[in-house]
Amino acid sequence: MSLMKRISLIFRSKANKALDKAEDPRETLDYSYQRQLDLLAKVRRGVADVATSRKRVELQVNQLEAQSAKLQGQAEKAISVGREDLAREALTRKSGLTTQISDLKAQHAQLQGEEEKLTLAQQRLQAKVESFRTRKETIKATYTAAEAQTRINEAMSGIGEEMGDVGLAIQRAEDKTAQMQARAGAIDELIASGALDDVSQVSAGDDIARELDSMSSEADVESELARLKSASQPQAIESGDILSETPETTTTEDGEQK
C-alpha cells in the first residue's frame, strides 16, 4: 500500500469515527422525515399541475365542440337557403375542429391517466410518510430513554466521563496525601535517629562545629575539676598535720610496712 493510500485510509477512518461520534440518530431521523415531506410536497404539486393541465384541455375540448356544433348548425341553415358553398365552408371548418377535438381528447385521456398514477403514488407516499413518522417518534423515544438510562447507570457505577474524572481526581489526591504522610514519617524517623539533624539548630550537620562543642564541654569539665581540687587543698593540709603526729612507717623492698 502506497503512502498516499495509507494517509487517505487513515483520514477516512478518523473522519468516519468523528462523524459517528457526532451523529445523533434523532436528528438523522428528523432530517429523513423532512426529506420525505419535501418529496411528498413535490408529488402533490405534480398532481395539481397535471390536474390543471387536464382541466385546461377539457375546457378547450368543450369550446371546440361548441364551435363544431355551431358550424354544423350553420351548414344546415345554408343548405336550407340554397347556399351550398356556405354549407361546404362550414363543414370544412367543422372537420378541422373535429381533428383538434380528437387530439385534445387523446391528450385529456393521457393527462387523466397520469393524474391517476400520481394520485395513487401520492397516497402511497403519504401512507409511507405517516408510517415513518410513527416509527421515527417511537425510535426517538426509545433512544432518549436508553440514553437517559445509560447516563444514570454510568453515574451510579462511576464509569461515566464526568464521574471518571472525579474519581481520578480523588485518586490523585489520595495518592499525594499518602505520599506526603510517608515523607513526613520518614523525616521524623531520620531526625529521631540522628541521621538527619533538625535544620533549626545552629550549625546543624557541621562536623567541625560538633567537634568544637565537644572540646569546649571537656574544657569546662577540666576547669570545674581543677576548681574542686583547689577548694579541697586546705582540708588536705589539715589532714596532713594530723597524720604527722602518727608513728612513721617504713616500707621494705618487699613492700612490707614496719
Side-chain angles (χ1 to χ4, degrees):
M1 182 180 294
S2 65
L3 180 61
M4 293 302 299
K5 288 183 178 180
R6 290 184 61 187
I7 294 175
S8 177
L9 178 61
I10 293 174
F11 177 78
R12 288 198 302 269
S13 62
K14 294 290 186 181
N16 183 66
K17 184 177 180 180
L19 290 174
D20 184 67
K21 185 178 181 180
E23 181 183 8
D24 190 340
R26 293 166 296 188
E27 295 178 354
T28 304
L29 290 173
D30 288 337
Y31 178 74
S32 299
Y33 178 68
Q34 185 61 44
R35 291 292 300 274
Q36 292 186 14
L37 289 179
D38 295 340
L39 179 59
L40 180 60
K42 290 181 180 179
V43 173
R44 287 175 176 172
R45 287 195 295 270
V47 173
D49 292 341
V50 172
T52 302
S53 298
R54 176 188 57 80
K55 189 64 176 179
R56 186 181 298 111
V57 170
E58 186 177 339
L59 292 175
Q60 290 179 358
V61 169
N62 292 335
Q63 292 177 358
L64 292 177
E65 287 180 344
Q67 291 180 10
S68 178
K70 182 179 180 180
L71 290 172
Q72 180 66 29
Q74 289 176 349
E76 293 177 356
K77 185 177 182 180
I79 290 296
S80 64
V81 295
R83 294 292 305 272
E84 184 177 348
D85 55 336
L86 292 177
R88 183 178 290 107
E89 181 64 26
L91 292 176
T92 300
R93 293 180 181 182
K94 178 185 176 183
S95 178
L97 292 177
T98 303
T99 302
Q100 293 181 18
I101 292 172
S102 178
D103 293 339
L104 289 174
K105 284 185 177 181
Q107 185 178 1
H108 180 272
Q110 182 180 359
L111 290 173
Q112 189 172 8
E114 292 294 330
E115 182 181 355
E116 292 175 356
K117 290 180 181 179
L118 288 175
T119 301
L120 181 60
Q122 174 190 343
Q123 293 174 353
R124 291 178 178 176
L125 182 59
Q126 178 71 36
K128 182 179 179 180
V129 171
E130 291 297 329
S131 176
F132 180 81
R133 184 182 67 83
T134 303
R135 187 178 180 184
K136 172 182 72 72
E137 295 300 329
T138 302
I139 294 175
K140 286 176 60 178
T142 305
Y143 181 85
T144 302
E147 183 183 32
Q149 186 64 37
T150 301
R151 292 185 180 276
I152 293 173
N153 292 338
E154 288 179 351
M156 293 179 63
S157 60
I159 63 175
E161 183 176 356
E162 294 82 0
M163 295 302 296
D165 293 339
V166 173
L168 291 176
I170 293 175
Q171 183 64 40
R172 288 194 299 270
E174 291 177 349
D175 293 342
K176 289 183 178 180
T177 302
Q179 183 178 0
M180 293 299 295
Q181 289 176 345
R183 183 178 179 85
I187 293 174
D188 289 341
E189 292 180 359
L190 291 174
I191 292 176
S193 64
L196 183 65
D197 292 338
D198 190 356
V199 296
S200 63
Q201 296 178 355
V202 180
S203 300
D206 191 344
D207 295 340
I208 297 176
R210 284 198 297 269
E211 184 69 21
L212 292 175
D213 290 343
S214 177
M215 293 175 62
S216 176
S217 178
E218 291 178 359
D220 292 342
V221 171
E222 293 297 332
S223 176
E224 181 67 18
L225 182 60
R227 188 184 63 79
L228 291 175
K229 286 181 178 181
S230 63
S232 63
Q233 284 181 358
Q235 184 177 358
I237 296 174
E238 294 177 357
S239 299
D241 295 338
I242 296 173
L243 291 175
S244 62
E245 296 177 358
T246 59
E248 292 182 356
T249 60
T250 61
T251 304
T252 65
E253 294 178 358
D254 297 334
E256 293 180 357
Q257 295 182 354
K258 294 182 180 181

